[in-house]
């Protein structure tokens, strides 16, 4: 069987000033030497390197006392170091390699450091490793000087821990204790967080309401803004569309008007020309007057002709004188007749012409040139007929001319009327177009005014004028007119809502956000703590279960073995161990917490927890004695009971090694011999390092180390390998 413990090296530790090595090549090593030589310092070295923190357990006041303090002959050192080397083939310690070297050093500043295979390791990490490897400093693995009756002296709880250590359950106990401590601090933190949350909650509620109101404001604001943009976009573009649709016809209209104006002007010029070229009326009037004159002349000639014809007839029937008188009478009648006629005339030329003719006739009558002969009258008649014919010819010519003139006039008038009609038509058209243009211009102006009004409205909302043109088409279009009035109503409503909400208080918003963040943080923290508590409770339950099960399994066996070794040592009697509920020890959970925890646990778990926390009681019946109380036992008997318990535990669950410092001190020779035998027997399973003054245990050892202390006050080791 391999020896788990390979060697112990001390340097500067207590009385071991120099580097001192104790190898453990065999199953039982005995350390012997005179009083005060430093044997127990070696046991202290074991305890210290295995993580003992209490100076008392190391027989010193301070850590500094562990460092070689110097003697009159040997100077003090500044550092104490102890190393334990283990065979780690079975991976009892979690390090790579076949060997594990655990070292601890301390200097005078009090700084203590652990290394495992030269890697620094924290004590809190080391302790569970050692517990797992079933190495502890407070149980029965290292029994110090004067502690031989430790099992009897200990409380039920301490006894339980000793058994757990031997059984390798200390690892779970440490974990359980750690979990319980974490659970406690979790609960404290949970209470703190809950209190903070409760304090914060009403404030957060108020701030949430305020914030919600302000957030609503932002919502309404953005809805209003979107609506305003959509509304102004649509209105602006509707006006814009009207402007562009009106601009083109307006130009066409103007062009058309210009064209028609030109046509009218041209037509009017034409009319004027036609009008100016008329003059026919004056001409016709002249012709008419000439015709009238000629007609009068003709009628005068006809009358004269008739008179001449009447004279010719008369002359042919009446004498000369009668004839003359008659002629004169006729002349006078004619004069009277012509005077009447002349009075009616207005044409001076015609009057003049008639008077000329009368002058000629009168001259002829009174000058003696009498027309007495019918021939003369005939000639006169003939001349007059010619003259009459000429006049009538003239009249006909003039009448023809008059007719032609009248027809031409008629034609012209017709053309004039037609042109006038055309001009009027065009003028009407022009008038209609001008009215249309007027209307279009008015409409344009109206649009312009509306756009200016729109811009004013837009700017009154606090926007820049140029932004109106830059608006982008809204997602949801607004129909013109009906949609506009709907949007206007909605904008009024939204503005009303905004003023009802009021202005945003930025400080309050900030405070609300901060409080909310803190509330969320605390809530998350509480959740984490609750989860952690739940996990820890589960872990504790699991560990309880493990400790409980393993302990229960081993406990009866230990109790039985205890009886066996007790009977061996006391040569009879009986002994057993029992579990007792905790009485004095403080409960792990208190008050409400305990109640809560209890509620959360199943009955089985509660029972298990109770049992896990129960202590170990010793019951003995010593032969021939009536022992009702362990205190009644002698010192040696107490040691024997303790040893019986120790060997019972080793029998059930042998630890890798045991370090026992003079635990046989109180035994008589017979018992010391029995003790040595038991060690020998158990050395198969467990490695022993014993400090003893008794021969029998020394004889049981394979290796004996003698510790001496010279004049210099420094402990030294003498090695004596013994023959088996
Ligand atoms: P006994 O057989 O009487 O129990 P022991 O061999 O177990 O004796 P220890 O108790 O191991 O003796 O050793 C005690 C000695 O160690 C004392 O002489 C003490 O002076 C010495 N010692 C203890 N601490 C220191 C220290 N820090 N520096 C120097 N010497 C020390």
């Amino acid at each position: 069987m391999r020896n788990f413990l390979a060697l112990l090296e001390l340097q500067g530790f207590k009385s071991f000033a120099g580097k001192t090595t104790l190898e453990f090549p065999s199953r039982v090593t005995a350390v012997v030497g005179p009083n005060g030589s430093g044997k127990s310092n070696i046991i202290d070295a074991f305890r210290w390197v295995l993580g003992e923190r209490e100076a008392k357990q190391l027989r010193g006041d301070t850590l500094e006392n562990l460092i070689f303090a110097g003697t009159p002959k040997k100077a003090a050192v500044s550092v104490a170091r102890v190393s334990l080397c283990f065979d780690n083939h079975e991976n009892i310690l979690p390090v790579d390699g076949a060997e594990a070297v655990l070292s601890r050093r301390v200097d005078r500043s009090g700084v203590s450091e652990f290394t495992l295979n030269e890697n620094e390791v924290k004590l809190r990490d080391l302790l569970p490793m050692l517990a797992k490897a079933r190495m502890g400093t407070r149980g029965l693995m290292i029994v110090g000087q004067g502690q031989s009756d430790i099992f009897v002296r200990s409380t039920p709880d301490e006894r339980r821990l000793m058994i757990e250590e031997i059984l390798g359950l200390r690892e779970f106990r440490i974990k359980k204790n750690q979990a319980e401590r974490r659970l406690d601090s979790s609960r404290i933190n949970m209470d703190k967080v809950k209190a903070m949350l409760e304090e914060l909650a009403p404030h957060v509620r108020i701030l949430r309401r305020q914030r919600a109101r302000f957030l609503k404001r932002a919502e309404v604001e953005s809805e209003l803004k979107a609506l305003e943009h959509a509304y102004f976009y649509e209105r602006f573009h509707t006006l814009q569309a009207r402007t562009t649709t009106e601009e083109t016809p307006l130009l066409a209209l103007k062009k058309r008007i210009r064209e028609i104006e030109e046509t009218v002007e041209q037509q009017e010029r034409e009319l004027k020309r036609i009008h100016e070229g008329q003059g026919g009326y004056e001409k016709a009037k002249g012709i008419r007057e000439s015709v009238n004159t000629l007609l009068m002349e003709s009628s005068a000639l006809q009358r004269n002709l008739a008179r001449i014809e009447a004279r010719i007839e008369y002359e042919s029937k009446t004498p000369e004188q009668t004839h003359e008188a008659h002629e004169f009478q006729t002349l006078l009648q004619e004069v009277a007749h012509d005077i009447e006629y002349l009075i009616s005339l207005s044409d001076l030329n015609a009057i003049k012409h008639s008077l000329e003719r009368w002058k000629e006739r009168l001259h002829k009558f009174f000058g003696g040139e009498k027309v007495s002969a019918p021939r003369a009258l005939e000639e006169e008649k003939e001349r007059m007929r010619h003259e009459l014919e000429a006049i009538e010819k003239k009249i006909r010519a003039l009448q023809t001319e008059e007719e032609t003139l009248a027809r031409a006039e008629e034609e012209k008038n017709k053309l004039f009327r037609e042109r006038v009609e055309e001009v009027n038509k065009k003028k009407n058209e022009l008038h209609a177009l001008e009215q249309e243009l007027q209307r279009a211009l008015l409409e344009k102006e109206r649009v312009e005014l509306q756009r200016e009004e729109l811009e004013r409205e837009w700017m009154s909302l606090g926007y820049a004028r140029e932004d109106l043109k830059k608006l982008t088409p809204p997602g949801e279009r607004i129909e013109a007119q009906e949609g506009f009035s709907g949007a206007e109503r909605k904008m009024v409503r939204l503005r009303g809502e905004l003023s009802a909400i009021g202005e945003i208080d930025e400080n309050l918003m900030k405070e609300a956000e901060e409080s909310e963040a803190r509330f969320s943080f605390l809530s998350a923290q509480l959740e984490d703590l609750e989860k952690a508590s739940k996990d820890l409770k589960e872990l504790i339950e699991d560990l309880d279960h493990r400790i409980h099960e393993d302990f229960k399994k081993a406990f009866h066996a230990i109790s039985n073995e205890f009886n066996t070794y007790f009977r061996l040592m006391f040569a009879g009697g009986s002994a057993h161990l029992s579990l007792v509920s905790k009485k004095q020890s403080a409960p792990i959970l208190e008050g409400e917490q305990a109640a809560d925890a209890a509620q959360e646990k199943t009955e089985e778990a509660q029972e298990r927890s109770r049992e896990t926390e129960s202590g170990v009681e010793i019951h003995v019946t010593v032969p021939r004695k009536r022992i009702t109380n362990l205190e009644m036992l002698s010192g040696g008997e107490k040691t024997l009971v303790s040893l019986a318990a120790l060997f019972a535990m080793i029998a059930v669950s042998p630890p890798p090694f045991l370090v026992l410092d003079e635990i046989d001190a109180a035994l008589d020779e017979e018992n010391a011999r029995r003790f040595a035998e038991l060690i020998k027997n158990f050395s198969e399973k467990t490695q022993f390092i014993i400090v003893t003054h008794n021969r029998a245990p020394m004889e049981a050892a394979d290796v004996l180390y003698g510790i001496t202390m010279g004049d210099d006050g420094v402990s030294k080791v003498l090695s004596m390998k013994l023959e088996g």
Side-chain angles (χ1 to χ4, degrees):
M1 179 160 202
R2 282 177 181 278
N3 294 320
F4 176 59
L5 210 54
L7 65 84
L8 173 74
E9 192 177 273
L10 309 95
Q11 185 169 14
F13 185 80
K14 287 203 167 181
S15 53
F16 292 89
K19 190 169 174 181
T20 312
T21 306
L22 285 94
E23 290 184 17
F24 307 111
S26 56
R27 304 302 295 168
V28 183
T29 302
V31 179
V32 298
N35 293 128
S37 60
K39 302 184 294 297
S40 294
N41 290 344
I42 293 172
I43 309 305
D44 292 338
F46 270 104
R47 276 193 208 278
W48 187 63
V49 76
L50 288 175
E52 179 57 62
R53 276 171 294 181
E54 271 185 38
K56 200 181 85 190
Q57 296 288 333
L58 302 165
R59 302 181 305 142
D61 295 338
T62 59
L63 275 180
E64 211 184 332
N65 285 342
L66 300 177
I67 306 168
F68 178 68
T71 61
K73 291 196 171 171
K74 181 82 179 172
V77 298
S78 54
V79 174
R81 180 197 299 273
V82 175
S83 298
L84 253 185
C85 179
F86 303 101
D87 179 313
N88 202 33
H89 276 94
E90 287 170 30
N91 286 325
I92 293 177
L93 285 168
V95 286
D96 293 333
E99 205 177 66
V101 180
L102 174 66
S103 297
R104 186 176 186 180
R105 73 186 283 285
V106 67
D107 57 25
R108 292 203 180 270
S109 69
V111 176
S112 167
E113 180 192 270
F114 288 92
T115 56
L116 186 56
N117 281 5
E118 291 181 359
N119 295 317
E120 196 185 336
V121 59
K122 295 279 170 229
L123 181 60
R124 64 167 178 277
D125 299 322
L126 181 67
L127 286 178
M129 287 184 215
L130 295 174
K132 194 173 183 188
R134 301 200 288 165
M135 290 187 266
T137 60
R138 296 287 177 88
L140 293 171
M141 280 190 63
I142 301 174
V143 182
Q145 200 176 23
Q147 292 182 328
S148 59
D149 57 352
I150 188 161
F151 195 71
V152 174
R153 270 202 278 139
S154 296
T155 64
D157 291 347
E158 286 167 345
R159 286 182 202 130
R160 180 180 178 112
L161 294 179
M162 286 173 190
I163 296 174
E164 283 183 5
E165 188 176 281
I166 290 275
L167 294 177
L169 298 178
R170 210 168 89 86
E171 178 199 0
F172 306 122
R173 180 66 70 180
I174 289 172
K175 283 184 181 164
K176 188 186 165 189
N177 288 345
Q178 282 174 349
E180 280 170 345
R181 274 199 299 279
R182 271 157 53 206
L183 184 63
D184 278 351
S185 78
S186 245
R187 284 202 165 102
I188 291 165
N189 287 339
M190 256 155 66
D191 287 347
K192 276 189 204 157
V193 172
K194 272 182 192 162
M196 282 191 268
L197 278 171
E198 271 167 31
E199 196 188 320
L200 198 60
H203 190 52
V204 166
R205 267 197 298 279
I206 293 168
L207 289 173
R208 264 184 203 162
R209 273 201 295 277
Q210 286 287 76
R211 191 164 179 266
R213 248 161 45 83
F214 290 148
L215 289 179
K216 172 81 183 158
R217 183 185 171 91
E219 219 174 85
V220 173
E221 264 176 348
S222 101
E223 193 184 353
L224 177 63
K225 197 170 177 181
L227 186 61
E228 279 172 353
H229 283 195
Y231 170 78
F232 278 94
Y233 174 86
E234 297 294 357
R235 275 192 60 190
F236 181 75
H237 284 275
T238 307
L239 287 177
Q240 198 72 345
R242 274 170 67 188
T243 313
T244 40
T245 49
E246 274 154 16
E247 204 58 54
T248 333
L250 205 63
L251 290 174
L253 207 57
K254 280 180 181 167
K255 190 173 170 234
R256 179 89 187 112
I257 286 172
R258 255 195 322 278
E259 281 170 4
I260 293 176
E261 274 173 350
E262 276 169 20
T263 311
V264 167
E265 273 170 30
Q266 200 183 332
Q267 282 177 332
E268 280 182 333
R269 273 199 302 279
E270 172 75 3
L271 266 183
K272 198 174 169 196
R273 192 181 54 73
I274 294 170
H275 183 70
E276 279 169 357
Q278 258 181 347
Y281 173 73
E282 294 299 323
K283 212 170 167 186
K285 197 178 160 195
I287 291 172
R288 168 74 18 222
E289 280 179 0
S290 301
V291 169
N292 285 342
T293 309
L294 287 171
L295 282 171
M296 275 193 294
E297 276 179 31
S298 159
S299 80
L301 272 173
Q302 278 171 356
R303 277 193 310 277
N304 283 344
L305 190 61
R307 218 171 31 249
I308 286 178
E309 280 170 349
R311 208 171 138 194
I312 291 170
E313 198 182 328
Y314 174 76
E315 290 233 347
S316 60
K317 290 170 191 172
T318 55
E320 187 90 8
Q321 273 183 325
T322 322
H323 184 67
E324 274 187 7
H326 179 69
E327 198 177 329
F328 187 64
Q329 195 184 0
T330 307
L331 191 66
L332 284 176
Q333 280 174 342
E334 280 177 20
V335 169
H337 187 268
D338 271 10
I339 286 169
E340 236 173 89
Y341 169 69
L342 285 173
I343 290 167
S344 72
L345 283 181
S346 57
D347 189 350
L348 277 173
N349 280 337
I351 296 167
K352 206 173 159 187
H353 186 69
S354 289
L355 288 173
E356 282 292 329
R357 272 192 302 114
W358 276 106
K359 184 186 145 190
E360 202 176 316
R361 278 193 63 192
L362 289 173
H363 183 75
K364 271 183 196 167
F365 187 82
F366 290 110
E369 198 186 317
K370 292 186 185 92
V371 187
S372 54
R375 197 189 43 88
L377 285 171
E378 279 301 325
E379 281 175 7
E380 182 66 8
K381 181 185 162 188
E382 207 51 37
R383 192 193 51 81
M384 282 181 145
R385 196 177 286 129
H386 283 297
E387 200 176 335
L388 195 62
E389 276 174 10
I391 286 172
E392 280 172 353
K393 201 174 165 190
K394 262 190 194 170
I395 287 172
R396 276 199 302 279
L398 279 171
Q399 279 175 335
T400 311
E401 193 185 347
E402 192 184 10
E403 275 169 24
T404 312
L405 199 65
R407 267 201 304 281
E409 211 45 36
E410 184 67 17
E411 283 294 308
K412 264 189 200 164
N413 282 344
K414 194 177 162 211
L415 185 67
F416 187 76
R417 278 198 305 279
E418 279 173 6
R419 289 288 187 270
V420 166
E421 221 168 277
E422 276 174 22
V423 172
N424 286 341
K425 227 163 113 186
K426 280 287 165 203
K427 277 186 175 171
N428 285 342
E429 196 183 336
L430 185 64
H431 182 65
L433 285 174
E434 275 171 349
Q435 277 187 333
E436 201 179 320
L437 178 66
Q438 213 52 40
R439 274 200 303 278
L441 287 171
L442 267 172
E443 181 60 21
K444 193 182 168 197
E445 210 167 304
R446 229 155 57 92
V447 168
E448 200 46 49
L449 277 171
Q450 283 178 2
R451 200 167 51 196
E452 279 171 20
E453 179 57 34
L454 188 72
E455 278 180 355
R456 262 199 300 282
E457 266 182 59
W458 170 253
M459 288 192 293
S460 75
L461 297 175
Y463 297 113
R465 182 196 298 271
E466 58 276 13
D467 288 347
L468 182 59
K469 295 187 191 85
K470 292 180 196 157
L471 286 174
T472 50
E476 207 173 307
R477 304 301 297 263
I478 298 176
E479 289 294 322
Q481 304 320 327
E482 261 189 44
F484 288 167
S485 49
E488 280 157 9
R489 280 198 298 279
K490 196 167 177 190
M491 285 192 290
V492 169
R493 180 171 62 72
L494 292 176
R495 284 183 195 123
E497 275 181 42
L498 282 184
S499 66
I501 292 170
E503 284 303 313
I504 292 181
D505 182 343
E506 290 299 337
N507 287 336
L508 201 132
M509 284 292 271
K510 201 164 164 245
E511 196 189 335
E513 268 164 37
E514 283 168 1
S515 301
E516 195 63 60
R518 180 152 172 71
F519 194 78
S520 306
F521 172 74
L522 288 172
S523 302
Q525 214 178 31
L526 184 64
E527 214 172 279
D528 288 351
L529 285 168
E530 279 167 350
K531 165 115 192 11
S533 293
K534 190 170 165 273
D535 292 348
L536 285 169
K537 279 178 209 156
E538 279 170 15
L539 177 66
I540 290 168
E541 263 190 46
D542 289 350
L543 290 166
D544 260 346
H545 185 260
R546 179 74 195 266
I547 294 169
H548 177 255
E549 288 301 307
D550 288 6
F551 189 85
K552 203 167 77 180
K553 240 186 273 163
F555 185 68
H556 295 292
I558 291 172
S559 184
N560 287 341
E561 293 293 332
F562 176 50
N563 185 40
T564 307
Y565 291 106
F566 180 85
R567 287 175 60 79
L568 182 74
M569 290 184 180
F570 283 86
S574 68
H576 72 275
L577 301 173
S578 70
L579 286 174
V580 288
S581 303
K582 263 189 182 179
K583 283 179 195 138
Q584 262 95 41
S585 27
I588 290 172
L589 304 173
E590 283 178 22
E592 272 182 40
Q593 288 180 359
D596 286 351
Q599 253 183 8
E600 288 161 24
K601 284 184 175 177
T602 59
E603 265 182 42
E604 189 196 334
Q606 283 182 44
E607 177 60 26
R608 197 163 49 232
S609 176
R610 251 194 318 277
E611 282 189 22
T612 310
E613 301 310 322
S614 57
V616 174
E617 198 50 273
I618 304 168
H619 306 273
V620 293
T621 313
V622 181
R624 299 174 301 277
K625 289 182 183 172
R626 183 181 290 271
I627 299 293
T628 53
N629 189 315
L630 288 174
E631 285 307 313
M632 291 163 71
L633 294 170
S634 73
E637 282 171 332
K638 283 179 186 162
T639 300
L640 287 176
V641 173
S642 280
L643 285 176
L646 175 66
F647 287 114
M649 284 182 239
I650 303 172
V652 173
S653 175
F657 67 90
L658 283 176
V659 180
L660 309 170
D661 188 358
E662 290 189 40
I663 62 168
D664 54 346
L667 302 183
D668 57 26
E669 212 179 317
E670 177 60 18
N671 280 325
R673 194 184 48 75
R674 209 172 278 147
F675 168 68
E677 253 171 49
L678 285 170
I679 284 183
K680 197 77 188 157
N681 292 343
F682 279 105
S683 66
E684 295 269 311
K685 296 176 177 172
T686 299
Q687 203 177 353
F688 286 93
I689 312 313
I690 52 171
V691 176
T692 184
H693 286 293
N694 283 322
R695 176 173 290 275
M698 278 186 220
E699 284 171 358
D702 311 304
V703 171
L704 199 65
Y705 284 114
I707 311 296
T708 58
M709 184 179 277
D711 298 345
D712 55 359
V714 175
S715 298
K716 290 186 185 59
V717 177
L718 298 170
S719 168
M720 301 170 253
K721 183 118 172 94
L722 301 169
E723 291 304 317

